[in-house]
């Protein structure tokens, strides 16, 4: 890769594929403005920019060399690069005019922070956002809300009945009553939205202002459907509406990172629920927390083991993993009818010691999966725990739930694609909207990449060709036809379709595009869909929040930086009945062994 006007270490690291042109340009420009010529400092600056671009909020100086490149690269080449010694770099940064606290200089866009796990280098903006999140959460934990114990106990009895040892859902609902901030974590199908509905039912009173939100339109629509489906049973208002976080905070056309509601103009809600929090970036979380009133309850919901935000930060995972800081909660123990403060015997509350400790940070993790079981559940656990041998044993076990295609034979994938598409087309041609929408969830091809031989574009073309051959007629992605599966790629609030929504073209005496919305699907003329594409395959990232009877997961080569434990876990947990993995033993081992270790200070103890 050629980078114009780069020299020295910046040029060497750019040629090796470690740095992108943008990383080099920012480092050079900042160096010019601050009159900083030290090559080690400029390299660290470029790597800090690269870290944010790669999803981290900072650069760990002790792990400076832990970089990956997408190209086929001999690891020895990376080791041979002129990496600065950590202690030399540390001293150079502390005296650099680019760093906050240095003895000279006016432009200081970088910040060094010492933590219990080593020194972190930040772009100052992200340090300020992390500090804002940390400080706001700490402030919200100082003075807990007043709790009417008898009233809350009656509510828990109504919602859960009597229990000698409370289950995690009951603990989560009780915690939401005793704290301003609660984190509800759990894997797919563990009952997170069921628990959310019961939190709403426990806290609901006349005049209570409730906000339901999620990072994407699709996730917001699913949250709304789930809550409304339980509204009648739980005595909730039937018209609760969920929106995207951007819409909740008040999108501003003049700024990508600032919103109408902020610290000076707070959100007018008493209870704010955010689903799919694993997809929320650090910047968005900082903006949300500053906008939520100090006396409003906040419930953050999500799976910390899934893929994280496409932008910098892994806030949910950081919050779940951070050190225990809060005191025991005796009010919570009274509410759930067990001594949760007794750390020497947490089994009395049905909690592991780790889960018991997390309660002090306002975190409850649900664990009983209801979406799938058997080998799929065992496979997901093995991936999450990083047990590669166990994962391979399960993939090769011959189970009806799981299969492993190691030889590149796509015959089984072709059969599933054709079978699902044929059933989808039959229902669509008959005008059976509900049937066609149901068939959309029969099978889905999932890929890590968008392009290349292991990417979405390649597999979409193959699938379209298979379907056209099976139906005996030409099909074109650019022309509407009954049975055409659709993927929305941008929010359209007027049409009520959202980025990530999947739908299907049906024949109702004329072609219409149908999208699932609870019991009443959205039907639109296809011409109203400006940002939509035919979809037989999608990225694993886009599949978050969805589920299918069968998924076929295409793993990229081991050199791909996208091949991670979180990617494989997310793909596997999209399936209800069967998971098929297409790859090699090496790619499986690489995925299981490589975690998305986004550098962050949120889970660290900052040394002052």
């Amino acid at each position: 890769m050629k980078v114009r006007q780069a020299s020295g270490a910046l040029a060497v690291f750019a040629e090796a594929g470690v740095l992108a042109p943008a990383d080099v340009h920012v480092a050079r420009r900042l160096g010019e403005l601050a009159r900083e010529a030290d090559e080690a400092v400029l390299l660290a600056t470029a790597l800090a920019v690269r870290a944010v671009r790669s999803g981290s909020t900072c650069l760990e100086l002790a792990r400076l060399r832990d970089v990956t490149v997408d190209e086929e690269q001999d690891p020895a080449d990376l080791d041979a690069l002129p990496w600065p010694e950590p202690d030399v770099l540390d001293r150079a940064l502390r005296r650099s005019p680019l760093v906050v606290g240095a003895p000279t200089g006016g432009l200081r866009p970088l910040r060094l922070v010492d933590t219990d796990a080593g020194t972190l280098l930040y772009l100052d903006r992200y340090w300020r956002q992390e500090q804002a999140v940390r400080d706001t959460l700490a402030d919200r934990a100082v003075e807990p809300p007043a709790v009417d114990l008898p009233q809350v106990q009656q509510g828990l009895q109504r919602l859960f009945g009597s229990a000698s040892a409370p289950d995690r859902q009951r603990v989560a609902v009780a915690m939401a009553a005793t704290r301003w901030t609660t984190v509800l974590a759990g894997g797919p199908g563990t009952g997170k939205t069921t628990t959310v509905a019961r939190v709403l039912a426990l806290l609901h009173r006349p005049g209570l202002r409730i906000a339901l939100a999620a990072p994407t339109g699709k996730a917001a629509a699913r949250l709304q459907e789930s809550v409304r489906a339980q509204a009648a049973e739980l005595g909730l208002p039937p018209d609760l509406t969920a929106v995207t976080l951007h819409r909740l905070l008040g999108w501003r056309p003049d700024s990508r990172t600032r919103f109408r509601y902020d610290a000076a103009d707070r959100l007018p809600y008493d209870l704010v629920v955010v689903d799919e929090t694993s997809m929320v970036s650090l910047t968005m979380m900082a903006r949300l927390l500053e906008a939520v009133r100090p006396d409003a309850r906040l419930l953050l919901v999500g799976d910390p083991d899934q893929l994280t935000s496409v932008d910098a930060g892994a806030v949910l995972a950081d919050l779940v993993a951070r050190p225990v800081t809060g005191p025991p909660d005796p009010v919570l123990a009274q509410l759930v009818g067990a001594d949760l403060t007794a750390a020497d015997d947490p089994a009395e509350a049905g909690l592991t010691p780790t889960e018991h400790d997390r309660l002090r940070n306002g975190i409850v993790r649900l664990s009983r999966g209801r979406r799938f079981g058997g080998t799929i559940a065992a496979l997901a656990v093995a991936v999450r725990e990083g047990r590669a041998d166990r994962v391979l044993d399960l993939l090769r076990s011959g189970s009806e739930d799981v299969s492993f295609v190691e030889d590149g034979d796509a015959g089984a994938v072709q059969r599933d694609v054709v079978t699902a598409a044929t059933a989808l087309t039959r229902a669509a041609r008959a005008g059976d909207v509900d049937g066609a929408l149901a068939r959309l969830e029969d099978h889905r091809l999932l890929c890590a990449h968008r392009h290349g031989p292991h990417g979405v574009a390649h597999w979409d073309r193959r699938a379209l060709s298979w379907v056209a051959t099976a139906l005996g007629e030409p099909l074109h992605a650019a022309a509407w036809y009954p049975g055409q599966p659709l993927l929305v790629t941008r929010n359209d609030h007027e049409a009520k379709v959202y980025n990530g929504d999947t739908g299907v073209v049906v024949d109702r005496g004329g072609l219409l595009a149908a999208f699932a919305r609870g019991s009443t699907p959205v039907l639109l003329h296809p011409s109203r869909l400006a940002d939509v594409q035919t979809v037989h395959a999608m990225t694993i990232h886009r599949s978050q929040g969805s589920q299918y009877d069968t998924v076929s997961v295409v793993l990229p080569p081991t050199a791909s930086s996208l091949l991670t434990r979180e990617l494989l876990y997310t793909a596997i947990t999209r399936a209800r009945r069967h998971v098929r993995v297409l790859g090699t033993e090496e790619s499986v081992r690489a995925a299981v062994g490589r975690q998305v270790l986004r550098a962050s200070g949120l889970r660290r103890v900052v040394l002052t």
Side-chain angles (χ1 to χ4, degrees), residues 305-363:
D305 297 309
Q306 282 192 34
L307 288 168
T308 52
S309 165
V310 295
D311 296 317
V315 179
L316 181 65
D318 287 341
L319 295 182
V320 171
R322 64 178 174 161
V324 173
T325 56
D329 186 349
V331 177
L332 177 63
Q334 286 182 266
L335 286 174
V336 297
D339 187 4
L340 298 177
T341 65
D344 58 340
D345 191 14
E348 290 184 9
L351 302 171
T352 68
T354 298
E355 291 168 335
H356 179 274
D357 287 341
R358 285 180 180 141
L359 294 180
R360 295 166 58 186
N361 278 356
I363 298 165

Side-chain angles (χ1 to χ4, degrees), residues 243-262:
V243 298
T244 64
L245 279 172
H246 281 81
R247 198 168 187 184
L248 175 73
L249 294 175
W251 177 78
R252 280 173 44 179
D254 61 326
S255 176
R256 295 182 56 191
T257 59
R258 291 291 177 179
F259 300 91
R260 173 192 169 188
Y261 292 104
D262 54 21

Side-chain angles (χ1 to χ4, degrees), residues 307 446-448 456 538-544 553-555 566-568 570-571 574:
L307 288 168
L446 300 179
C447 306
V456 168
M538 67 169 52
T539 62
I540 296 169
H541 215 116
R542 274 197 182 274
S543 74
Q544 290 189 97
V553 185
V554 181
L555 295 184
E566 290 80 0
L567 178 108
L568 184 55
T570 301
R574 300 309 95 204

